[in-house]
Amino acid sequence: MADFFDDDKIVFKKNIIGAIILVVIIIAGGFIGYYNYKVRSSRVSIDKTTLCPPEEKISRYTSILVDVTNNINHIQKESLNKYFENLKLNLLEYEKITIFAVNNESVNNIKPKLTLCNPGNQIKSQFTENEGIVLKRWEEKFNKPLSKTFDEIVTGGESNVSPIFEMIQGASINGFPENTKDTPKRLYIISDMLHHTEGFSLYKQNPGISDLKASPYYQHIKTNMDNVEVIILLIYRSGFEKLQNKTLIRSFWEPYFREQGARLVEAIAVEG
C-alpha cells in the first residue's frame, strides 16, 4: 500500500532542491556582481588623447631625445627603428613616453613631439573587457602614432652648432615632472654626443668634465636629473671617429650625468 505522505515527501524534496539551487544562484550572482564592482571601481580614469592616468598612477617616465643637428643615415635609422620596436614590447602599463626632436633653433623652446601612455594590451577581466577592443586600442591609439612620430623625426639635419647640454636640460624639465622622485625615469639620447657651442665644445681630444665645471657656461646648463637612468644611442659621424671613443663616454659623459644626479646605464653604438 502506498504511503499517504509519499507525494508530499516528493514535493518537499523538490522544494528543498529548488531552494538550494536558488541560493547557489543568488550567491554566485552576488559574487560576480561584487567582482565586477571591484574591477570597475579599481579602473583608472585615463585621458582620451594621451591615454595617461593621473600623475600618481604613472608607472615610469621614459623620455626619448633625438638630436637632429646632424644627419642620420638610412642604416642608422633602420637600426633605431628596430631598437624601439623591441622597446615598445617591454613597456610597463601606464608608462609615459615623451618624444623630443631638437635642433639648434628649437633648443630654447623645447616641446614634446608626442606624449602618450601605454594603455596595455592585456585584458584585466573577461567579464568587463573585450580582448579585441583592448588590442585595437593599443594598436590604433598608442603603437601606430608612436611609430609614425619616431619614423618622421629620426632623419637628422645640418647645423653648425650642437647644443646637447641644453637639449638634455630641456628634455629633463619637460619630460620628468616635479614631485615624482619615487617614480622610475629613463632618458634615451640619440646623438653623436659631440656638444659644440660658443660656451663649450667637445671638438677636441680627451675632454674633461673639470673643464666644463670650471666654466661659467656650466651654471647655465646644469640640471636636476635625480634618479634618472640614461641610455645613449651613439650616432657615429664620418670624420669624427677619433673623438667618439670610449674616453668621450667614460671620462666625460658618465661623470657629467653623475654630477646631475643621474646614472649612465648603457651606451650603444648604433649600426651604420
Side-chain angles (χ1 to χ4, degrees), residues 11-254:
V11 172
F12 179 74
K13 288 179 180 179
K14 287 182 178 180
N15 289 340
I16 290 294
I17 294 172
I20 293 173
I21 292 174
L22 180 62
V23 170
V24 170
I25 291 173
I26 292 172
I27 293 174
F31 174 79
I32 293 173
Y34 176 75
Y35 177 79
N36 286 338
Y37 166 76
K38 293 294 290 184
V39 170
R40 292 178 186 276
S41 62
S42 64
R43 282 181 177 175
V44 177
S45 61
I46 62 173
D47 184 272
K48 291 182 179 180
T49 302
T50 65
L51 307 180
C52 289
E55 292 294 336
E56 64 271 14
K57 297 293 184 179
I58 299 293
S59 58
R60 181 165 60 191
Y61 292 94
T62 293
S63 289
I64 300 171
L65 170 61
V66 183
D67 172 7
V68 292
T69 59
N70 290 286
N71 283 322
I72 298 174
N73 66 42
H74 177 73
I75 296 176
Q76 291 169 337
K77 183 175 180 177
E78 289 297 316
S79 297
L80 290 168
N81 281 333
K82 184 183 295 184
Y83 183 90
F84 281 101
E85 284 300 315
N86 290 329
L87 176 69
K88 281 190 297 183
L89 299 177
N90 295 289
L91 296 174
L92 302 176
E93 185 179 33
Y94 299 137
E95 182 166 350
K96 189 173 186 177
I97 311 298
T98 308
I99 298 178
F100 301 90
V102 188
N103 57 28
N104 61 308
E105 295 178 355
S106 62
V107 71
N108 294 320
N109 186 30
I110 294 179
K111 300 294 182 184
K113 290 291 184 181
L114 183 71
T115 297
L116 285 176
C117 286
N118 178 24
N121 56 7
Q122 302 292 325
I123 63 172
K124 300 181 182 67
S125 169
Q126 293 181 343
F127 295 107
T128 61
E129 293 183 311
N130 180 281
E131 184 175 8
I133 293 176
V134 170
L135 290 174
K136 184 177 180 181
R137 179 185 61 188
W138 184 87
E139 179 64 28
E140 297 294 330
K141 294 188 175 182
F142 179 74
N143 186 39
K144 284 186 177 180
L146 204 61
S147 295
K148 182 175 182 292
T149 299
F150 189 76
D151 187 64
E152 289 173 348
I153 66 175
V154 181
T155 54
E158 291 289 346
S159 176
N160 293 325
V161 296
S162 185
I164 297 175
F165 295 131
E166 287 86 351
M167 295 181 191
I168 293 171
Q169 186 180 58
S172 297
I173 292 172
N174 291 286
F176 307 130
E178 295 182 1
N179 304 318
T180 58
K181 182 179 179 181
D182 296 330
T183 306
K185 301 174 183 65
R186 302 186 297 182
L187 174 62
Y188 287 84
I189 305 174
I190 301 171
S191 173
D192 62 6
M193 300 309 291
L194 291 173
H195 176 95
H196 179 62
T197 62
E198 290 185 2
F200 190 83
S201 178
L202 292 176
Y203 283 10
K204 62 180 181 179
Q205 292 285 359
N206 301 320
I209 187 67
S210 57
D211 297 328
L212 174 64
K213 291 182 65 178
S215 70
Y217 181 63
Y218 181 68
Q219 300 304 314
H220 298 285
I221 54 90
K222 65 179 182 179
T223 188
N224 181 8
M225 298 177 67
D226 285 348
N227 301 318
V228 176
E229 292 187 341
V230 179
I231 299 92
I232 293 174
L233 299 173
L234 186 64
I235 302 295
Y236 279 113
R237 290 175 56 195
S238 179
F240 289 84
E241 292 87 355
K242 291 183 178 180
L243 298 177
Q244 294 177 290
N245 52 29
K246 292 181 180 180
T247 300
L248 175 68
I249 302 300
R250 292 179 178 175
S251 299
F252 186 84
W253 284 109
E254 189 171 4

